[in-house]
Amino acid sequence: MNKQKLVEIAQRNIEMRRIQAEDVARRAQEHLMENSTFATLERQLRRVQVQYAMGDHSDQTAQKLAELKEQRKQLLAQLGIQEGQLAPHYHCSKCDDTGYVNGQACSCLADEVRKMLIKQSNVANSAYTFENSTETDKHNLGMYNLAKTACQEGKNILLVGQTGTGKTYLITACANLALASGKSVLFTTAYNLSNSFLQAHISELETRQAILDSITEVDVLVIDDLGTEKSYKTVTGDYLFAVINERIAQNKQTFISTNLSLQQIRDKYDERLFSRLVDQKITKVIKLVGADKRVDK
Ligand SMILES: [Zn+2]
């Protein structure tokens, strides 16, 4: 789903909150109107309010208005209701759930978009963040800083290291950081990605394009565990190259983690894909080290 569409849905979600809040207030008011004393008072009050609004600011009218308001307040107190309960309780007090303040998008709209981005990103663990990291290895901590900077500077990340060095944690932290800054993210494994490529390959042109667009259009594509995918003769490599190439052309970020060494990447994929993946102008290559963290020492 593209960003514009997301914003539209977010606007609708906020609009729905407004309608719900106003509905609750309206029902509370309707319920009160079943009390005949209140109903009479309310109707009188409205009549005088209209008079006043139409320009009748005479002492008599002003006094009547004040009296009626006071009576209403007292009656409500007798009934155990606070005046505030009759007004809509908006979710966002800045924009009263309209999504806009003085024609500018309200922060709640950005929050809503961010929430939706997270939902459709497939990032499995929102708790994997730079802040929550328990990494203590000095070398790796340096790598965390490099990764964070690369992420913020709009660069690609190629994260290498053996099993158990915390690559999935770090790549997920990068994905969550991108999400927090309002970018759309697609988190996928190389295995699933290669299946998508195969699906695209055997589909009609239109479907194929739709599949590839969904992979290309996100701000950040995360491919976990490159090298573990099924290799469908030329299909995987060719599509991967096309996607990576297109994303570079569109200045979009790609984060890749892999157990493979650079030499193994070069051996497994062809020269042009390899040179794209390790191009230092656009990519930060990050290497994590350490004993297998999943094994007790
Ligand atoms: Zn708001």
Side-chain angles (χ1 to χ4, degrees):
M1 200 189 310
N2 67 36
K3 206 80 162 275
Q4 186 50 41
K5 192 101 198 153
L6 270 183
V7 172
E8 280 168 28
I9 296 172
Q11 283 167 338
R12 239 174 291 150
N13 290 349
I14 290 172
E15 170 84 7
M16 251 156 61
R17 282 183 210 146
R18 185 173 63 78
I19 291 170
Q20 280 162 357
E22 288 173 357
D23 199 49
V24 169
R26 187 181 50 77
R27 266 182 284 137
Q29 175 81 19
E30 276 173 8
H31 183 68
L32 254 182
M33 291 298 270
E34 285 166 17
N35 177 314
S36 61
T37 314
F38 181 84
T40 309
L41 188 58
E42 187 72 3
R43 273 191 287 270
Q44 278 181 314
L45 177 61
R46 284 180 197 175
R47 209 175 310 128
V48 180
Q49 274 172 333
V50 169
Q51 245 175 298
Y52 192 84
M54 299 298 283
D56 176 3
H57 291 182
S58 65
D59 286 351
Q60 202 191 355
T61 304
Q63 200 191 339
K64 185 78 189 155
L65 192 59
E67 272 172 28
L68 287 168
K69 277 186 180 169
E70 184 55 32
Q71 282 176 32
R72 184 180 191 268
K73 199 172 155 187
Q74 281 174 13
L75 180 58
L76 283 174
Q78 275 174 31
L79 297 168
I81 297 167
Q82 296 187 347
E83 263 183 319
Q85 284 173 260
L86 299 176
H89 280 248
Y90 295 113
H91 213 263
C92 176
S93 56
K94 280 188 261 178
C95 69
D96 287 351
D97 297 344
T98 59
Y100 292 90
V101 183
N102 301 325
Q104 301 282 326
C106 180
S107 60
C108 69
L109 183 58
D111 287 343
E112 185 66 18
V113 171
R114 213 167 310 151
K115 249 185 263 164
M116 295 175 61
L117 286 172
I118 290 169
K119 222 189 250 172
Q120 67 156 22
S121 70
N122 281 342
V123 177
N125 208 326
S126 61
Y128 284 14
T129 62
F130 284 96
E131 293 73 27
N132 291 346
S133 158
T134 54
E135 179 62 66
T136 50
D137 182 271
K138 209 172 159 198
H139 168 88
N140 286 353
L141 283 174
M143 293 294 128
Y144 268 58
N145 283 333
L146 288 181
K148 192 174 182 181
T149 307
C151 183
Q152 288 164 333
E153 287 178 344
K155 283 195 160 183
N156 296 332
I157 295 172
L158 177 63
L159 183 57
V160 296
Q162 285 167 3
T163 305
T165 49
K167 291 191 306 297
T168 297
Y169 188 100
L170 180 52
I171 205 113
T172 308
C174 291
N176 281 323
L177 183 62
L179 280 170
S181 69
K183 290 178 181 169
S184 60
V185 175
L186 175 64
F187 193 105
T188 183
T189 59
Y191 183 88
N192 287 336
L193 187 63
S194 118
N195 284 341
S196 298
F197 288 154
L198 183 62
Q199 205 184 14
H201 188 67
I202 60 173
S203 297
E204 302 276 322
L205 187 63
E206 210 172 298
T207 311
R208 178 186 310 168
Q209 203 49 53
I211 294 171
L212 294 177
D213 283 350
S214 71
I215 298 167
T216 309
E217 76 185 5
V218 286
D219 297 329
V220 178
L221 173 67
V222 183
I223 307 171
D224 197 19
D225 251 343
L226 185 76
T228 58
E229 69 278 10
K230 279 194 202 141
S231 197
Y232 301 107
K233 260 216 144 140
T234 74
V235 173
T236 309
D238 283 354
Y239 280 85
L240 189 58
F241 177 75
V243 163
I244 299 277
N245 217 22
E246 183 59 28
R247 293 185 58 77
I248 291 171
Q250 293 187 26
N251 263 323
K252 293 185 165 178
Q253 288 175 281
T254 306
F255 304 160
I256 297 175
S257 80
T258 183
N259 284 344
L260 303 175
S261 66
L262 294 186
Q263 185 58 52
Q264 286 169 324
I265 295 174
R266 172 63 194 91
D267 293 343
K268 190 173 166 85
Y269 305 95
D270 70 6
E271 168 73 38
R272 35 176 214 153
L273 178 56
F274 176 73
S275 61
R276 282 305 200 187
L277 292 181
V278 300
D279 183 349
Q280 288 189 20
K281 287 197 293 289
I282 48 172
T283 301
K284 194 83 209 162
V285 177
I286 290 182
K287 186 163 194 235
L288 291 181
V289 296
D292 194 328
K293 289 188 164 55
R294 280 177 280 193
V295 179
D296 284 330
K297 276 173 271 181

